[in-house]
Amino acid sequence: MNKLQYCWPAARLNEALSALGQQTLSTNRRIDIAPPTPSVANNGSRMEVWIEQTAACLGLEAENIDAAYGEVHDLIANAAPGIIHIPGTEELRFLVILNRRRKYVVVLAPDFTHQLVAVEQIRAALSQQLENSVAKNVARIMDSVKLSRGQIASGQQAILNQFLRDMRIGGCWVMRSSPTNLPEKIRESGLQTNGLLLLGSELVGTILFMASWWVLGGMMLSGHLEMGWIVAWTLILVTMIPFRILSSLLAGCIALTSGTILKRNVLLGAMRLDPDSVRQQGAGQLLGHVTEAEVVEATVLAGGFVTLHGAMELFFAILVLGFVVKSIVLCGLLAISLFVLTVLARKYYRLRQQWTTIRLHMTGDLIEKLTGHRTRRAQELPSRWNVGEDETLESYLSLSKKLDSLIITLRVVLPRIVLFGGFAGMI
């Protein structure tokens, strides 16, 4: 295959970027972008700046990446969607990659058709100039050794890897949606699909759990422990296992992906902070905010899965008690339990806010004192080194005790009261 057959000239790269954004990244941004001027199209450094600026206009982020000679194959395979500069001609030429298919990549041809190109062919085109620079030395070494016909290719590649191991090959831009486009980031990461699968697995698992209790309760209340019903109950329990495992795997994938998106947005927000507002805060306050970002990530992700599971169980509880059992007493007990839970949760939220404020204040105060310990030691009286620390620690300890007591009530005491109340209501 002619390596320039499916390449785009620099003068038409604006069309290629627009088509790449609409076909692969679903940017839906129709902006008329002027092609690069001849002075830009014939200058590699100016063309690099133009690519990044044009991608930003389309709502994309162009990341310029390079790789060592031995890693060029992986660079090409993981560059989709993106563009690669193919050297070897005076006019700049670019290959537009849409996605990957095993040993091939799908490229966008200048006639806007999709074509399959082998990754190895693109690697050879990118590495040709470097390989030509050491071709004589490689040929001399190959002539001095005796290799079989099947070993010549691998031996030549091993020598090239040794000669060019310190050389890097660039000219590749990976295209991603802009970090500020959160919905597009969620779509790219597959969070929607994984979320729906998680919801479905939780739904099926909950239904199977209810069915197991229905079968077990029917056997117990009827007084007939027949082997067929026992086998059915066992099969239901066994069927629950893969759905619970699937839920755990999906929850882990969602947590990892969501955490990555959250950290990227936090980093982007930190880089866009107003310098004047940053100067007003000390090192302690900034470190406290960084620490709190980790807490937010862990709390939101863990609490989200618990909330999903609890909401689904609550829905089925209302469905069973209200429409299947049709017990006013049990529905009333459920409503009272939810009311008490809401009151305690609101109290916990307020205490948690106060506790977090004090914790951030303590972190900031400690870092500031560590930073300025020499000044304090030289200018401040020793009797005033620990002024206010005891009061702050006392408040923190008091709030921590209240939070711990409230957590015990929410996680241990209240569920057991609800359980005994449910049995009493059924009796």
Side-chain angles (χ1 to χ4, degrees):
M1 183 202 76
N2 184 1
K3 66 181 181 180
L4 300 180
Q5 182 178 357
Y6 301 128
C7 290
W8 290 74
R12 293 187 57 198
L13 195 57
N14 59 322
E15 302 177 26
L17 287 176
S18 180
L20 176 65
Q22 292 181 3
Q23 294 187 25
T24 305
L25 300 173
S26 301
T27 58
N28 296 323
R29 299 287 297 274
R30 294 183 179 180
I31 301 177
D32 294 332
I33 299 176
T37 60
S39 59
V40 174
N42 297 323
N43 188 299
S45 58
R46 290 185 179 181
M47 197 65 194
E48 178 180 346
V49 176
W50 182 89
I51 290 173
E52 295 177 357
Q53 293 177 348
T54 304
C57 294
L58 293 170
L60 305 176
E61 180 185 20
E63 181 182 0
N64 190 358
I65 59 176
D66 58 6
Y69 172 79
E71 300 174 351
V72 176
H73 188 281
D74 296 333
L75 173 72
I76 300 169
N78 298 320
I83 59 175
I84 297 179
H85 170 228
I86 304 297
T89 59
E90 296 182 358
E91 184 183 9
L92 296 179
R93 296 272 180 165
F94 298 88
L95 196 65
V96 179
I97 300 178
L98 299 178
N99 53 61
R100 176 186 178 185
R101 293 182 183 176
R102 297 184 179 180
K103 296 182 180 180
Y104 296 86
V105 291
V106 180
V107 302
L108 182 67
D111 57 356
F112 297 99
T113 60
H114 296 180
Q115 304 293 337
L116 283 178
V117 180
V119 175
E120 181 58 29
Q121 290 179 318
I122 304 176
R123 188 208 65 80
L126 290 176
S127 308
Q128 184 176 2
Q129 290 183 346
L130 284 178
E131 293 175 352
N132 290 339
S133 64
V134 296
K136 295 181 178 179
N137 295 329
V138 174
R140 186 173 62 252
I141 295 175
M142 293 295 296
D143 293 338
S144 63
V145 297
K146 295 181 179 180
L147 297 175
S148 62
R149 182 173 301 179
Q151 296 175 334
I152 293 178
S154 59
Q156 185 175 4
Q157 188 61 49
I159 297 173
L160 286 172
N161 291 337
Q162 185 66 24
F163 271 110
L164 303 174
R165 65 181 184 275
D166 296 329
M167 304 301 294
R168 301 192 69 83
I169 297 177
C172 177
W173 288 267
V174 177
M175 297 294 173
R176 302 186 181 93
S177 60
S178 175
T180 57
N181 191 352
L182 188 58
E184 185 62 28
K185 281 292 183 184
I186 293 176
R187 188 195 67 82
E188 287 181 13
S189 60
L191 275 178
Q192 294 177 338
T193 303
N194 289 337
L196 291 175
L197 290 175
L198 176 62
L199 183 62
S201 61
E202 285 285 346
L203 180 63
V204 175
T206 304
I207 293 175
L208 290 174
F209 178 75
M210 293 172 54
S212 67
W213 277 103
W214 178 78
V215 173
L216 184 62
M219 288 191 298
M220 295 296 103
L221 295 177
S222 63
H224 300 289
L225 296 178
E226 299 179 0
M227 183 57 64
W229 286 106
I230 295 177
V231 172
W233 176 66
T234 305
L235 289 176
I236 292 174
L237 294 180
V238 172
T239 308
M240 286 175 54
I241 296 176
F243 288 99
R244 295 303 186 190
I245 294 176
L246 179 61
S247 298
S248 300
L249 293 176
L250 290 173
C253 293
I254 292 174
L256 181 61
T257 307
S258 302
T260 303
I261 295 176
L262 177 61
K263 288 181 179 179
R264 284 180 177 175
N265 280 271
V266 169
L267 179 60
L268 180 63
M271 296 177 65
R272 294 184 176 182
L273 284 174
D274 184 11
D276 294 333
S277 64
V278 175
R279 293 191 189 100
Q280 296 176 1
Q281 302 181 20
Q285 290 182 340
L286 292 176
L287 181 60
H289 291 322
V290 172
T291 306
E292 193 66 18
E294 296 289 338
V295 176
V296 168
E297 177 190 356
T299 304
V300 170
L301 295 179
F305 300 130
V306 174
T307 302
L308 174 63
H309 187 73
M312 191 167 296
E313 290 188 345
L314 179 61
F315 170 76
F316 281 104
I318 296 174
L319 185 66
V320 171
L321 295 180
F323 298 96
V324 179
V325 181
K326 298 181 180 179
S327 174
I328 299 178
V329 176
L330 293 178
C331 290
L333 289 175
L334 179 61
I336 294 173
S337 302
L338 291 176
F339 175 76
V340 175
L341 177 63
T342 303
V343 173
L344 293 178
R346 187 173 182 181
K347 182 180 179 182
Y348 176 81
Y349 174 74
R350 292 178 178 176
L351 289 176
R352 187 79 178 188
Q353 275 188 320
Q354 300 175 14
W355 180 81
T356 302
T357 302
I358 294 178
R359 181 169 60 84
L360 290 176
H361 173 72
M362 291 174 57
T363 303
D365 185 61
L366 176 62
I367 299 300
E368 294 294 342
K369 288 181 179 180
L370 289 175
T371 304
H373 73 282
R374 293 183 179 179
T375 304
R376 296 178 66 238
R377 185 178 180 87
Q379 299 182 3
E380 193 173 15
L381 296 175
S383 59
R384 297 188 58 82
W385 284 353
N386 305 110
V387 172
E389 292 181 358
D390 292 339
E391 291 80 1
T392 305
L393 287 173
E394 182 65 28
S395 300
Y396 180 77
L397 182 60
S398 176
L399 283 174
S400 298
K401 290 181 178 179
K402 293 180 180 179
L403 280 176
D404 292 340
S405 301
L406 196 54
I407 289 176
I408 293 175
T409 304
L410 286 170
R411 293 185 176 181
V412 180
V413 178
L414 185 60
R416 281 156 180 76
I417 293 177
V418 172
L419 179 62
F420 287 115
F423 279 120
M426 287 193 299
I427 293 174

